Amino acid sequence: MSQTEQYEKCGHRYWLQRVERVTPLPAAWSAHGTAFHSAAEAVERSQRTMTEEEAIQLFSDQYSALINKGLDQEPNTDRWLSAAGTGAEDIEHRYVLGQQQTADYVRWTRNNQPSIWQVPEKGIALELYFSVELGGIQVRGYIDQLVAEVDGSVRVRDLKTGSTKSKFQLETYKAATELAHGVTVNRGDWYMGKTGGLSRPVDLSAVSVDEVGERYARMDAGVKAGDFPAKPGFLCRFCDMKHKCSFFR
């Protein structure tokens, strides 16, 4: 699904990364998100017995390891992408912010006790892998969480450390869950690390598998036709391909 949205936002970025295989610029927000997801998953798999301190340590260790790996590839932090300040400042900022968000997640789960769905014969639905056909395309990915609803349906949930949300991601999760597990998905939401709570629920009841598949089919047709239109604009400053992009100014 990330490939489809990337193509829709800027075909030229897709071409640079997916076809030309350009090495992307590093960004601390990537390590931040990955480390937070790992900590949140560990909290849930511990049946929420993990302490705040243990979860924070897990986040810190993984974040540091990912940042060090990035520094090995690009030691010059002035070349790192950053939403605010220098690359070095962003690295330090996200270390502290991620620790805070991890602690908030531990407290939130204890106070709200969300019911993670149990996948029959597979266990708790965390970072759940899927591989389904949508629009004639084999789509693969991981769903952060599936939450059991009181009416027997399942809610799809994505965890976010930033503010960017994708309804198409939730729609894909719905389609994949219904196809792979034969359960009904009527709603989705995001856990927002920035606020320490849930977004408003998104109504997915009218979203069909065919509707989701159409977007994947359009992307696939464009790629096969060699159509990679550039869409320069504000988001270019945050693009990890901008160092090799002839359209970036």
Side-chain angles (χ1 to χ4, degrees):
M1 87 206 84
S2 61
Q3 291 189 34
T4 296
E5 290 193 298
Q6 183 186 65
Y7 178 83
E8 291 173 343
K9 290 177 181 178
C10 181
H12 189 63
R13 180 192 176 197
Y14 180 102
W15 178 76
L16 287 171
Q17 184 168 351
R18 309 285 180 176
V19 180
E20 291 297 296
R21 302 293 182 182
V22 172
T23 301
L25 292 173
W29 60 61
S30 178
H32 177 187
T34 299
F36 175 80
H37 276 74
S38 294
E41 181 182 2
V43 168
E44 298 295 352
R45 291 197 184 280
S46 76
Q47 298 183 339
R48 299 171 188 153
T49 61
M50 180 176 282
T51 66
E52 286 183 35
E53 292 76 16
E54 290 170 333
I56 289 171
Q57 189 62 56
L58 192 156
F59 168 86
S60 303
D61 290 345
Q62 180 156 10
Y63 180 83
S64 297
L66 291 169
I67 290 297
N68 287 334
K69 183 178 179 180
L71 289 170
D72 287 341
Q73 296 173 347
E74 178 50 78
N76 183 3
T77 56
D78 289 338
R79 286 177 53 81
W80 283 50
L81 295 173
S82 174
T86 66
E89 290 170 341
D90 197 42
I91 290 171
E92 293 297 327
H93 167 68
R94 289 179 182 278
Y95 181 75
V96 176
L97 177 61
Q99 291 179 330
Q100 175 189 323
Q101 290 178 340
T102 299
D104 288 344
Y105 182 80
V106 174
R107 290 191 290 267
W108 179 81
T109 56
R110 288 180 179 168
N111 291 335
N112 294 274
Q113 294 293 315
S115 178
I116 305 298
W117 188 57
Q118 292 284 331
V119 184
E121 301 179 357
K122 291 186 179 180
I124 192 168
L126 298 170
E127 296 296 328
L128 185 63
Y129 175 75
F130 66 86
S131 178
V132 297
E133 186 175 298
L134 294 169
I137 311 303
Q138 202 65 30
V139 179
R140 300 175 180 84
Y142 290 87
I143 302 172
D144 289 351
Q145 297 179 356
L146 295 178
V147 181
E149 300 272 51
V150 294
D151 63 358
S153 65
V154 171
R155 183 186 301 205
V156 293
R157 176 165 295 160
D158 193 43
L159 309 184
K160 293 294 182 186
T161 51
S163 55
T164 301
K165 303 190 295 291
S166 167
K167 184 180 178 183
F168 180 56
Q169 187 175 32
L170 295 184
E171 291 172 347
T172 296
Y173 287 171
K174 169 197 165 77
T177 300
E178 292 187 339
L179 285 172
H181 303 290
V183 293
T184 300
V185 176
N186 290 320
R187 299 197 294 177
D189 60 27
W190 296 275
Y191 173 85
M192 304 300 295
K194 293 187 74 171
T195 62
L198 297 179
S199 69
R200 291 183 179 181
V202 177
D203 183 4
L204 301 173
S205 59
V207 176
S208 69
V209 170
D210 288 343
E211 178 186 347
V212 176
E214 286 175 4
R215 286 182 67 174
Y216 285 100
R218 285 197 299 270
M219 180 275 292
D220 185 62
V223 171
K224 288 178 177 176
D227 184 19
F228 302 100
K231 297 180 181 179
F234 173 76
L235 292 179
C236 290
R237 62 175 296 201
F238 306 110
C239 178
D240 56 4
M241 293 288 112
K242 67 181 182 180
H243 58 305
K244 295 294 184 179
C245 180
S246 57
F247 295 92
F248 178 71
R249 300 289 184 271

